[in-house]
Amino acid sequence: IKNSTAKSIIAYIEESFYKIHKSYNKIDAYIAPSEFHQNEILKSNITNNQVYHLTNFLPINTQYSLHESKNFYLFLGSLTKDKGVMTILKAFHKAHIDNFKLVLAGNGPEQETLNEYIHNNGLEEKVLLPGFVSGDELAILKKYAYIVIMASECYENCPYGLMEPMAYGKPVIGSRMGGIPELAIDGITGWTFESKNIDELSDLFVKTSKLSKDEYASLSKSTLDFAKKTFDSKNYINNLLEIYKK
């Protein structure tokens, strides 16, 4: 926990106390936003009660629609090691894609390391670090990105950093960590790669940069259809009510 041995030991003692006293069995049902999370709860044996999988939802006023794409790949999130931002940058550099840029939007402790790599490799015109973005600027990035990337090196559950751009039909590239592959489905909504594997991600940069207009349009449509079906808030409410009824 937060790279602290002491905090981890305290958490382990607390967790052991809960298990011994069967505290988690006092909760009637659990909801996991991903199948990965559901399976982890079941494997932990912390409860004998039902664990349901309900994928996170997007707000009820979400406008699911296709948008024109510009020539840039997009990462949205904290600029930290566990998010794999250096893996993204190194893979993009290795791919040597002429007609595309990379936007790494967010703040974090890796920002200085990223800037140093960009400067040392002459990537100032190819890689943009706009910092923390919100409001209209954030919406524009999501709407016009070519492909959205999540290269996490830690477990993700059901990340909104992928869900929200997918509502605009944006294909995704994600590492095979946690619940990411449940959103980045190979050939349907995008592609996955082994976490920390610069070569595999670089190959995906090259592959996706060569998609024909028809191939990209088909993938965008498939991504949008998946988002409509999977992230619909009304479906979530109905499924949630059924759990409460049980």
Side-chain angles (χ1 to χ4, degrees), residues 53-69:
H53 166 223
L54 284 184
T55 302
N56 285 337
F57 61 91
L58 290 176
I60 199 164
N61 61 350
T62 298
Q63 299 294 317
Y64 295 91
S65 59
L66 295 173
H67 280 265
E68 175 190 358
S69 294

Side-chain angles (χ1 to χ4, degrees), residues 4-142:
S4 168
T5 301
K7 289 180 180 178
S8 299
I9 291 172
I10 292 170
Y12 175 77
I13 294 171
E14 181 184 37
E15 182 68 13
S16 299
F17 175 85
Y18 288 147
K19 282 187 177 181
I20 292 169
H21 290 271
K22 300 186 185 302
S23 301
Y24 292 112
N25 284 334
K26 298 176 183 177
I27 297 172
D28 296 311
Y30 290 83
I31 295 173
S34 65
E35 291 181 8
F36 163 79
H37 189 207
Q38 181 187 37
N39 291 332
E40 289 298 303
I41 296 174
L42 293 173
K43 283 193 295 183
S44 71
N45 293 317
I46 63 170
T47 180
N48 295 324
N49 293 328
Q50 185 70 43
V51 182
Y52 296 91
H53 166 223
L54 284 184
T55 302
N56 285 337
F57 61 91
L58 290 176
I60 199 164
N61 61 350
T62 298
Q63 299 294 317
Y64 295 91
S65 59
L66 295 173
H67 280 265
E68 175 190 358
S69 294
K70 305 294 185 181
N71 285 6
F72 69 91
Y73 292 84
L74 174 65
F75 165 83
L76 291 170
S78 301
L79 302 182
T80 57
K81 289 182 179 179
D82 61 336
K83 294 296 184 180
V85 288
M86 280 304 300
T87 297
I88 297 174
L89 178 55
K90 289 178 179 179
F92 182 77
H93 181 210
K94 185 176 186 293
H96 294 295
I97 305 171
D98 292 332
N99 299 325
F100 287 87
K101 293 186 178 182
L102 172 65
V103 178
L104 302 170
N107 288 330
E110 285 292 278
Q111 190 160 350
E112 185 176 336
T113 305
L114 291 166
N115 273 319
E116 184 179 345
Y117 186 94
I118 291 168
H119 175 72
N120 290 342
N121 291 278
L123 296 172
E124 289 87 350
E125 298 297 320
K126 296 286 293 180
V127 182
L128 306 177
L129 274 68
F132 177 79
V133 293
S134 60
D136 291 341
E137 186 180 1
L138 177 60
I140 288 172
L141 287 176
K142 292 178 191 173

